[in-house]
Amino acid sequence: LATPSARPVPAMCAAYTCRTSPDWRGSHLVASCHIPPGAVLLTEAPAATTCGDDESESVEAALAKALLESGRGSDWAARFAAAPQQRGGEAAPPISDEALRRLCASGVDEVAALAVYDAVRHNAFGLETPLLGVEHGAAFYETAAKLNHSCDPNCLSTRLGGNFALFAVAAIEEGSELFHSYLPPRLLVLPRRARRAH
């Protein structure tokens, strides 16, 4: 997989700002200046990762556990939570009693465990091998979690050595929201109905 040649955003411009909207977008990233195609917008180390090799718990539960063990709790998770009406009225996260017990085993209260699990469930990134697309874990990137999806994104995201990297694939005007695809590029060429299954 070739990556675009990297061009920095103009030195006098912070590439993006974070805005919060009361609609479905919640917190999202917006260009704070004109951004040329090929510009590197973000490189970010993960707040936590998991390799998903423990088959006794889900990747989401393992990642939530790692975040809880690093001291993140309800207040931290609130920065990534969307109100239920913003998520189509979803009910509580589908977590088993056993998984919840494991999350609370280190003395974390149930409210914090559920809040962090919910943040992970809606904002974590799957990790996969670039060539074969084999999933091997998940990661949580605090800034990248604020990116919304588009099937016609103006940005391309990739993982470089576990870090998240974001590049502009088109010129982005000041004030425009930054979008990337939640789907791997190989799935973006599929018809819409097939993409929705992912």
Side-chain angles (χ1 to χ4, degrees):
L1 175 68
T3 57
S5 62
R7 285 184 265 168
V9 173
M12 294 185 294
C13 170
Y16 57 84
T17 58
C18 182
R19 290 195 185 151
T20 302
S21 299
D23 61 13
W24 62 269
R25 293 177 298 165
S27 293
H28 55 281
L29 302 180
V30 175
S32 54
C33 62
H34 172 80
I35 300 170
V40 179
L41 302 176
L42 172 66
T43 55
E44 180 179 13
T49 61
T50 182
C51 60
D53 57 2
D54 182 356
E55 294 184 22
S56 68
E57 64 185 350
S58 70
V59 172
E60 292 89 355
L63 190 55
K65 182 177 178 182
L67 288 162
L68 287 162
E69 289 173 350
S70 71
R72 291 166 172 92
S74 299
D75 291 340
W76 173 85
R79 296 186 305 167
F80 305 100
Q85 68 272 16
Q86 294 171 347
R87 294 193 310 248
E90 287 182 38
I95 185 171
S96 70
D97 290 340
E98 176 61 22
L100 183 58
R101 186 190 63 72
R102 282 191 210 147
L103 288 178
C104 296
S106 61
V108 174
D109 66 86
E110 189 172 300
V111 171
L114 287 172
V116 171
Y117 181 82
D118 197 42
V120 164
R121 188 169 154 253
H122 288 89
N123 297 288
F125 290 81
L127 300 176
E128 62 179 39
T129 59
L131 294 177
L132 300 176
V134 176
E135 289 191 29
H136 60 85
F140 198 99
Y141 304 95
E142 294 179 328
T143 301
K146 297 180 184 326
L147 289 163
N148 284 317
H149 169 79
S150 172
C151 286
D152 186 19
N154 54 15
C155 297
L156 169 73
S157 63
T158 188
R159 301 327 153 254
L160 301 172
N163 294 324
F164 183 92
L166 186 71
F167 302 89
V169 294
I172 304 170
E173 295 305 316
E174 181 176 350
S176 298
E177 184 169 357
L178 305 181
F179 289 102
H180 78 130
S181 174
Y182 294 169
L183 302 173
R186 69 181 186 282
L187 296 178
L188 283 176
V189 298
L190 297 176
R192 184 177 186 160
R193 173 174 263 153
R195 290 192 313 259
R196 285 186 173 258
H198 295 274

